[in-house]
Amino acid sequence: MYGTTHTRVKAAGAVAALSGLVFAALPAQAAHAATTPADTGFESGATGWSTYSAGGQNTASFTESGGHGGSTRLSHWSASAYKVETYQHLSGLTDGTYTLSAWVRSGGGQNSAYIALRNCGSAEQRTDLPPTADGAWIRLVTSVRVTGGACTISLNSDAHAGEWANFDDITFTPGSTGLSVRGGDLSTLPKNEAHGAAYSNASGVAGDAMSILKGSGMNYVRLKVWVNPADGYNSKTRVLAMAKRAKALGMKTLVDFHYSDAWADPGKQNKPAAWAGHSYTQLRTDVYNHTYDVLNALKAQGTTADMVQIGNEINGGMLWPEGSTGNWSQLAGLITSGANAAKAVSSGTKVALHLAEGGDNAGTRWWFDNAVAQKVPFDVIALSYYGYWHGSLSELQTNLDDAASRYGKPVMVAETAYAHTLANDDGLENNVATASQLVSGYPATPAGQAANLRDVMNVVEAVPNGRGLGAVYWEPAWTAVTGSGWDPADPASGNAWENQAVFDHNGRLLPAAAWFSHR
């Protein structure tokens, strides 16, 4: 119950008036049997819902005012530690796949808090509640294969004293959910390996990092391309070699064109040195030829790119100043040249346009409204989302949902990462280095990192109409190794991201990697 003070003032099972709200404990009752759930908005005192608690704490589940859609919600809370389930059993269902959707909020900290579908004739499916420190509602989904005509909708909390969760606006409909993209950007892996990086699985068995990640469920490898990098990494040659490794493992590839000799992002979109004096018209030809050259070489070796980004975090455009958003017609021309080159090599390769600021709906709308007005061709909307920079999960959800609906395109998180520790493993201070930088509810621990990735993927999975493609973890294998720093022109430069890799400082796989096996 976000924003209220909770103190039981009457005996268990009674109705208590607290902080101006009325709390009605749910009675234990016979399971509701029907093909559709009853009282999905909890407006009728949770009629049709039942409560179970092994410790007799049924009063930890109750309805109160303050719903998501209507005036009432279901809440789990108690002044003492509790474990409670609110459930509804459905029967007479036609066998097939069904999806449970629920709007939720949570103060976080529970041993577990989740929505689930169980007793459905197949393995239980559940989705964990994220902590929502801002009090915003988040929509979650989970799906299951029903065999035998019955299924139980289950809302669960195993919590310490005073921890809370809210549930509202439940739906149970035919259809399935899942993520087709569960990827990692492994661009720096070859450089790390060349400088002696070693990796092991969660059990400590040494192995190849890409193979270890594949074994954890990763199915997409993202690879950035620079035009003429000073150290020779992230070049066409290196990308070709990495694509071979990925394809040999049965993984797909996402090729990320920066159109620069080094990093391109919202703060810098520098032209490659070889293109520095070129006119806008020549730059369009440069973009086409470079894109075609790399992708055609990939195709020729049997590793056709599955998806490409025409530019990297191009909120302000690319190839400045000619391709700045200050001149949308020219930016559109440059992007279109790259997209056309990709399709000329392979019509099946998906073209993604990639922005940072995944929680910025106004900025995303402004950018893609312009792109659509300029008739820029694209297949996928890709956004970076780092919770410590780009807003809350609810803001990410609002933006993903709106972009998918507004432009009729699938959406994905093309970059995300989180810290598993605040400890530094080299001489360069990390980008996330202090507790004040962390997202509330996600400590800088292996478990906190895993929960953050889990919750980002769950938000993408919940995008309506199956338009949430998935998420790509940024540089999960970029551990700190002397010589494998961020600056291609400076071998002594360090790594400010090693505490966000999914391998620890000893190169051992962390729990976050298990989420690459997300539905």
Side-chain angles (χ1 to χ4, degrees):
M1 292 85 63
Y2 176 77
T4 60
T5 301
H6 307 102
T7 306
R8 287 285 181 184
V9 295
K10 292 190 178 181
V15 177
L18 301 176
S19 301
L21 300 178
V22 175
F23 301 86
L26 269 63
Q29 53 186 280
H32 175 73
T35 57
T36 56
D39 197 13
T40 55
F42 302 101
E43 300 298 310
S44 301
T47 300
W49 293 90
S50 301
T51 304
Y52 173 76
S53 174
Q57 297 165 303
N58 286 1
T59 55
S61 177
F62 52 91
T63 59
E64 62 178 333
S65 62
H68 168 262
S71 60
T72 308
R73 67 196 181 207
L74 174 76
S75 291
H76 288 174
W77 176 85
S78 177
S80 58
Y82 64 96
K83 185 175 182 179
V84 70
E85 176 191 19
T86 309
Y87 67 94
Q88 189 166 161
H89 185 68
L90 304 178
S91 60
L93 298 170
T94 301
D95 285 355
T97 304
Y98 291 82
T99 294
L100 169 67
S101 172
W103 286 90
V104 304
R105 304 192 304 182
S106 168
Q110 299 97 328
N111 296 318
S112 63
Y114 59 91
I115 64 172
L117 293 171
R118 59 180 185 83
N119 300 329
C120 305
S122 58
E124 176 180 319
Q125 296 295 313
R126 62 173 63 176
T127 300
D128 297 276
L129 272 61
T132 51
D134 60 352
W137 291 89
I138 298 284
R139 187 183 62 260
L140 299 180
V141 296
T142 193
S143 63
V144 74
R145 177 76 182 175
V146 172
T147 59
C151 193
T152 299
I153 298 170
S154 180
L155 313 175
N156 291 265
S157 294
D158 179 357
H160 308 99
E163 292 171 347
W164 59 271
N166 299 155
F167 308 84
D168 204 0
D169 295 336
I170 308 296
T171 67
F172 180 79
T173 55
S176 62
T177 67
L179 298 178
S180 60
V181 176
R182 305 181 307 278
D185 189 316
L186 299 181
S187 298
T188 309
L189 179 58
K191 189 174 181 180
N192 247 39
E193 292 171 331
H195 286 87
Y199 302 92
S200 63
N201 65 16
S203 299
V205 178
D208 168 71
M210 191 185 293
S211 297
I212 291 170
L213 292 167
K214 162 68 175 178
S216 297
M218 184 183 288
N219 67 351
Y220 249 90
V221 174
R222 182 178 186 246
L223 302 168
K224 66 173 169 281
V225 189
W226 291 340
V227 176
N228 187 25
D231 60 3
Y233 288 94
N234 303 307
S235 62
K236 171 186 170 183
T237 300
R238 298 286 184 175
V239 168
L240 288 170
M242 284 291 281
K244 277 189 175 181
R245 289 174 62 178
K247 292 290 185 176
L249 291 170
M251 303 169 82
K252 294 184 176 182
T253 54
L254 165 55
V255 180
D256 174 16
F257 286 93
H258 282 225
Y259 302 111
S260 182
D261 289 335
W263 303 96
D265 56 45
K268 54 185 175 299
Q269 295 285 335
N270 301 320
K271 290 194 287 285
W275 305 357
H278 291 184
S279 66
Y280 165 68
T281 300
Q282 183 59 46
L283 288 172
R284 286 200 62 173
T285 301
D286 293 334
V287 168
Y288 186 96
N289 290 345
H290 171 61
T291 307
Y292 187 94
D293 178 54
V294 173
L295 296 180
N296 195 51
L298 285 166
K299 180 180 179 180
Q301 71 171 14
T303 60
T304 300
D306 298 282
M307 191 184 302
V308 300
Q309 287 178 213
I310 306 302
N312 186 75
E313 294 188 330
I314 53 175
N315 302 58
M318 64 187 199
L319 294 166
W320 290 345
E322 288 81 2
S324 157
T325 50
N327 190 331
W328 253 104
S329 64
Q330 289 195 174
L331 173 58
L334 292 168
I335 298 172
T336 299
S337 289
N340 288 346
K343 293 296 187 179
V345 173
S346 170
S347 61
T349 296
K350 299 297 184 185
V351 171
L353 301 184
H354 174 215
L355 303 184
E357 304 289 347
D360 180 9
N361 184 232
T364 300
R365 276 192 170 204
W366 175 83
W367 199 96
F368 278 96
D369 280 357
N370 276 286
V372 170
Q374 295 287 338
K375 297 182 169 53
V376 175
F378 65 97
D379 302 309
V380 175
I381 293 170
L383 303 172
S384 293
Y385 176 74
Y386 299 96
Y388 43 80
W389 287 336
H390 296 156
S392 67
L393 280 174
S394 62
E395 289 171 322
L396 173 65
Q397 182 164 76
T398 295
N399 197 21
L400 290 172
D401 291 359
D402 180 66
S405 173
R406 187 176 181 86
Y407 306 107
K409 303 286 187 181
V411 296
M412 63 182 289
V413 170
E415 293 183 21
T416 192
Y418 201 74
H420 62 81
T421 180
L422 292 177
N424 193 6
D425 199 32
D426 67 6
L428 182 63
E429 183 179 20
N430 292 325
N431 282 330
V432 176
T434 66
S436 64
Q437 295 173 278
L438 299 174
V439 180
S440 179
Y442 300 101
T445 63
Q449 179 191 54
N452 187 265
L453 178 57
R454 174 199 73 196
D455 293 343
V456 169
M457 296 177 90
N458 286 341
V459 164
V460 180
E461 185 185 23
V463 174
N465 301 311
R467 287 186 172 137
L469 291 182
V472 177
Y473 198 94
W474 197 76
E475 293 284 7
W478 193 9
T479 53
V481 182
T482 301
S484 184
W486 70 271
D487 187 351
D490 180 9
S493 62
N495 176 4
W497 286 85
E498 82 274 3
N499 67 325
Q500 298 188 70
V502 301
F503 293 89
D504 68 16
H505 289 176
N506 295 314
R508 188 165 180 157
L509 192 69
L510 290 163
W515 287 102
F516 292 126
S517 292
H518 193 287
R519 281 184 298 270

